[in-house]
Amino acid sequence: MNSVWELFLTYTLVGIGFGLMHLPLYLNLEAHFKEQFPTMLSITYILQYAGIAAMPPVFQFFLDDYGFRGAFVLMGALLLNLVVVGVCVRTPSLPLTVDGDKNSPVKNRQEELLEESERSVLAILRDMFSLAPLCHHRVFRLIILIEAVSFYVFTSWAIFLVSVGESHGLSAEDSVLLSTTGGVGGFFGKIVAVVLFNFDLMNGYTAGVIPIAVFGLSLLGCIVQSNFYGLAVSTLLAGASNAILTSGLAGLLPSMVCRKHFEQGIAISNVVDGIAFQLSGLISGFLYDIFKSPSYVFGVDVVICILTIPWALAWACSDKTVKQC
């Protein structure tokens, strides 16, 4: 790569790859763990944030020892290990049925799977990216709005966190350590999410209102704090609150749409997440070019969090009954 646009296109392809990987894994996990899905999903997110916490120092080590190109080659080699993981993923096996039992629910499900396998790729894509869940389920619309905002703010926070530390006079090493602190906060936030799901305490307040408010206050703390420990505490809280928010939204999503529109809802959710990631980088970068300070970028994110709280309250107070289409 010799230009910024080549790097941008490469990262776009990386995002597409992660999206194609995330959607089937999400659906496969739900197929294996119907009742315990939210808890199991939060457990997988714990390991995700462990990787986020470890990535900044690891990547910095690669940069120092192997340079820019060598670091990305090594990162690519690490990611290729996911191919082996993908090969090992299997859909749940169906139990055998007795011949002649035409009313067997398992046999009916086998017939449904056969019909799905015979459908054209175009028909599958058309159904997967249908907007029907948005039209039929009001709570799902609120969830998607909150999810889009959360991913936008999270991406902006992650991109400019190191720059915020440096703007407050921290060294490059301490600024990178802030990213690790955010990952550690996310790790513990995912543990909290597992506990909330396990005790059936995850709802619109614990998964929406409270995490959004804490995340906004944490971003404000990153603006007003000037010493490392104050910034570290704010970053820790930001990572933890965002982890609870994303786990809550993803784990509760199956209960917000009917079974008919579940897969379509997951597809919409992934597309919205990708758009939010892209827009966050572009808009935050544009704001940084105008104001020349990452604190102003965080200030806009704080305002966005405040404006999102009424949506979260509407979700928390809404009727949770799902209409079966």
Side-chain angles (χ1 to χ4, degrees):
M1 292 181 291
N2 298 309
S3 67
V4 175
W5 286 109
E6 290 176 345
L7 183 62
F8 178 80
L9 290 174
T10 301
Y11 266 98
T12 301
L13 293 175
V14 171
I16 293 174
F18 273 110
L20 293 173
M21 176 185 67
H22 182 265
L23 178 58
L25 289 178
Y26 187 101
L27 295 174
N28 197 276
L29 189 66
E30 195 273 341
H32 278 280
F33 304 97
K34 295 288 186 182
E35 301 297 330
Q36 298 83 19
F37 170 71
T39 301
M40 294 302 173
L41 182 67
S42 297
I43 291 174
T44 63
Y45 281 165
I46 289 176
L47 300 178
Q48 179 188 54
Y49 267 82
I52 292 175
M55 191 54 63
V58 170
F59 189 70
Q60 189 63 46
F61 171 77
F62 288 163
L63 281 176
D64 294 340
D65 281 29
Y66 302 101
F68 176 80
R69 296 181 185 277
F72 274 92
V73 168
L74 290 173
M75 292 298 296
L78 287 175
L79 289 176
L80 284 175
N81 288 281
L82 296 177
V83 175
V84 180
V85 178
V87 171
C88 297
V89 174
R90 291 289 185 272
T91 55
S93 58
L94 295 172
L96 297 176
T97 59
V98 179
D99 293 338
D101 186 4
K102 297 181 180 180
N103 296 322
S104 170
V106 175
K107 188 171 183 179
N108 292 336
R109 179 56 181 157
Q110 290 173 334
E111 293 174 353
E112 290 177 5
L113 291 174
L114 180 60
E115 291 176 358
E116 290 179 3
S117 66
E118 293 175 349
R119 292 162 59 202
S120 67
V121 175
L122 183 61
I124 294 174
L125 291 176
R126 183 183 66 247
D127 290 345
M128 284 295 292
F129 292 99
S130 168
L131 298 180
L134 293 173
C135 300
H136 291 85
H137 303 284
R138 174 180 174 273
V139 176
F140 179 72
R141 294 197 293 269
L142 290 173
I143 290 286
I144 290 299
L145 284 172
I146 297 170
E147 187 174 16
V149 170
S150 68
F151 273 88
Y152 173 91
V153 176
F154 170 78
T155 305
S156 176
W157 169 72
I159 291 174
F160 289 97
L161 182 58
V162 174
S163 298
V164 165
E166 292 177 344
S167 69
H168 286 301
L170 299 184
S171 64
E173 291 78 11
D174 287 343
S175 298
V176 171
L177 190 58
L178 287 179
S179 296
T180 301
T181 304
V184 172
F187 177 81
F188 286 106
K190 295 299 183 182
I191 294 177
V192 172
V194 171
V195 174
L196 291 174
F197 274 122
N198 190 54
F199 289 97
D200 199 23
L201 296 175
M202 192 68 85
N203 51 54
Y205 293 102
T206 55
V209 178
I210 296 175
I212 291 172
V214 173
F215 193 45
L217 291 173
S218 301
L219 291 173
L220 186 61
C222 290
I223 297 173
V224 300
Q225 296 287 342
S226 58
N227 62 82
F228 173 77
Y229 294 105
L231 287 169
V233 171
S234 296
T235 303
L236 192 74
L237 290 174
S241 58
N242 183 265
I244 296 173
L245 175 62
T246 53
S247 284
L249 293 174
L252 293 174
L253 186 59
S255 64
M256 302 300 166
V257 293
C258 64
R259 291 302 308 174
K260 178 181 178 181
H261 294 136
F262 173 67
E263 293 184 357
Q264 297 169 348
I266 300 303
I268 292 173
S269 173
N270 277 263
V271 170
V272 169
D273 294 347
I275 294 174
F277 273 124
Q278 295 291 338
L279 288 179
S280 180
L282 292 173
I283 296 175
S284 298
F286 178 73
L287 292 174
Y288 182 78
D289 289 339
I290 293 176
F291 297 109
K292 307 299 182 183
S293 172
S295 295
Y296 283 97
V297 177
F298 274 28
V300 172
D301 293 340
V302 171
V303 174
I304 292 175
C305 287
I306 294 173
L307 295 176
T308 310
I309 291 178
W311 295 350
L313 283 171
W315 168 34
C317 299
S318 63
D319 183 11
K320 303 302 187 298
T321 304
V322 177
K323 180 181 69 173
Q324 296 298 325
C325 301

